[in-house]
Amino acid sequence: MPDTADLTLYLAAPRGFCAGVDRAIRIVEMALEKWGAPVFVRHEIVHNKFVVDALRAKGAVFVEELDECPPDRPVIFSAHGVPKSVPEAARAREMIYVDATCPLVSKVHIEAERHFEAGLQLVMIGHAGHPETVGTMGQLPPGEVLLVETEADVATLAPRDESRLAFITQTTLSVDDTAGIVAALQARFPAIIGPHKEDICYATTNRQAAVKAMAPEIDALLVIGAPNSSNSRRLVEVGQKAGCAYAQLVQRATDIDWRALQGARAIGITAGASAPEVLVNEVLDAFACRYNVTVKQVQTATENVEFKVPRVFREASA
C-alpha cells in the first residue's frame, strides 16, 4: 500500500541548468538546424544521459575523440573545454568545428595563458581525468600545470621555482574543500598568485549555498544528476557535510531508494547544473504519488546570466 503520510519537500533554488549548459545544448540544436544531421560532438556535450539521449535522437553523434569524426561533417566541442591540440587537429583536417566551452571555463583558460606568458608555473586544483581538468591543463605545454586534488597533495608538489607560481581551479568544485586547498597552497607557497575573481563558477557556488540553507530542515537530500557530473557529486558531499544523514545522487525518479527514505518527513531536492527541470518535475510527481506532499522553495540567489552563442549562429539568425 502506498504511504500517504505527510511529507515536506524543500526545493532548492537555484537548481538545474546553468547558463553554460543551456548555451552548449542550444549550440548542438542550432548546429543541427544549420547543417542537418549528423552533427558530431566530441565527448558528452554536458554530463547528463537524458540530455545526451534527447540530442542523439535529433541527430547528434557523440564520440570520445576527434579521429572518430568524418572530416566532412561539423564537430562540436563539449561545454567542459578541450586541450589546444583538439582544435589544432580539427583545423589540420579542415573540419568545421564549433567550440561550446562554457565561457567561465574559457576564462580559466585565458587566466592560465596569462600566467604562463608571465613566466609562472601553474597549480590546478581539480579532479584528475575530468574533461574540464584535461582541457584546462591542455592549454599549456606539458609540465607547466601541476595538478592537486586534496590538501595532502600540496605537501608533495615539486614546482620549478616556489616563488614563481599561480593557481587556478576547476569550476565545479566544492567551495569549502577548495578553500582548504587554497589555504594549504598559500601556507606552503606565500608568493603564489590566485585568480582575480574566484574560478569556481556562480552556478556551482549558488547550488551549494542552497543545499547548505536547507540542510538544517531536512532528514534526507536527493540530488538529481549524473554520476559523472562533478558539480552534482559535490552537492551530495555538501549535503553530507552540512548534516544530512542521507544524501543520494539519482539520475531520475526510477533511481530513488524509497526504503531508505522511510520515516523521513522533510526531504530536500536539488539538481546539478546539467540536469533539466523535467527530471525535477518527474521526481516531484513520484513523491506526490506516495505522500501528501507540501513543497517549500528555498531560494538563496536569483540567476539571470545568459551567454551568447558563437558568432556562426548569430550571423545565421541575423
Side-chain angles (χ1 to χ4, degrees):
M1 289 291 291
D3 183 355
T4 54
D6 292 336
L7 178 71
T8 303
L9 295 179
Y10 287 83
L11 190 57
R15 63 181 177 275
F17 276 4
C18 63
V21 164
D22 187 61
R23 173 181 179 269
I25 294 166
R26 277 190 294 136
I27 285 172
V28 178
E29 291 171 339
M30 292 173 91
L32 286 163
E33 286 172 25
K34 183 177 176 68
W35 292 299
V39 164
F40 286 76
V41 185
R42 184 188 177 278
H43 194 73
E44 290 185 350
I45 188 70
V46 297
H47 283 156
N48 187 275
K49 184 179 186 301
F50 183 89
V51 170
V52 168
D53 286 348
L55 292 172
R56 189 178 279 124
K58 293 177 182 179
V61 178
F62 293 88
V63 298
E64 285 304 305
E65 295 301 339
L66 200 63
D67 57 17
E68 298 171 59
C69 305
D72 61 341
R73 294 304 303 164
V75 61
I76 296 164
F77 305 146
S78 82
H80 311 98
V82 294
K84 268 191 174 172
S85 56
V86 175
E88 285 169 2
R91 283 193 293 272
R93 293 177 66 190
E94 299 182 342
M95 299 175 78
I96 295 171
Y97 69 89
V98 183
D99 190 351
T101 300
C102 172
L104 297 178
V105 174
S106 296
K107 177 186 86 72
V108 180
H109 291 182
I110 293 164
E111 220 176 332
E113 289 259 26
R114 197 182 71 245
H115 288 313
F116 173 66
E117 286 166 8
L120 303 180
Q121 192 175 20
L122 273 290
V123 177
M124 178 164 191
I125 305 169
H127 295 293
H130 187 278
E132 185 187 330
T133 299
V134 172
T136 300
M137 293 180 72
Q139 299 305 302
L140 302 182
E144 290 302 323
V145 188
L146 307 173
L147 180 65
V148 295
E149 294 190 76
T150 64
E151 289 182 44
D153 291 342
V154 174
T156 60
L157 273 180
R160 263 195 315 269
D161 181 347
E162 294 192 358
S163 67
R164 303 283 293 158
L165 288 174
F167 73 86
I168 51 175
T169 73
Q170 190 178 321
T171 62
T172 55
L173 301 179
S174 158
V175 173
D176 294 337
D177 288 352
T178 305
I181 299 170
V182 169
L185 282 170
Q186 290 170 334
R188 188 173 165 206
F189 309 112
I192 197 166
I193 296 169
H196 288 305
K197 188 168 182 267
E198 191 174 52
D199 289 338
I200 295 176
C201 85
Y202 77 94
T204 300
T205 303
N206 288 347
R207 279 148 192 70
Q208 291 178 18
V211 167
K212 289 177 189 175
M214 68 165 65
E217 310 296 330
I218 59 178
D219 305 313
L221 172 70
L222 292 184
V223 177
I224 302 162
N228 61 340
S229 164
S230 173
N231 79 85
S232 300
R233 290 172 62 181
R234 300 297 79 76
L235 288 172
V236 174
E237 293 170 5
V238 167
Q240 290 167 338
K241 288 182 179 176
C244 296
Y246 180 84
Q248 189 64 44
L249 183 68
V250 295
Q251 295 205 65
R252 51 193 315 175
T254 48
D255 298 328
I256 296 170
D257 183 349
W258 297 105
R259 277 190 289 188
L261 298 175
Q262 279 179 356
R265 290 295 165 257
I267 295 173
I269 294 174
T270 189
S274 46
E277 188 68 4
V278 64
L279 299 185
V280 176
N281 292 332
E282 182 185 275
V283 166
L284 294 176
D285 290 345
F287 275 101
C289 290
R290 291 168 171 80
Y291 296 90
N292 298 320
V293 167
T294 302
V295 177
K296 292 185 177 180
Q297 186 145 285
V298 179
Q299 180 131 15
T300 53
T302 302
E303 293 178 352
N304 51 18
V305 178
E306 192 173 332
F307 295 132
K308 288 180 180 176
V309 295
R311 187 180 288 114
V312 65
F313 301 123
R314 298 204 301 275
E315 287 167 350
S317 61

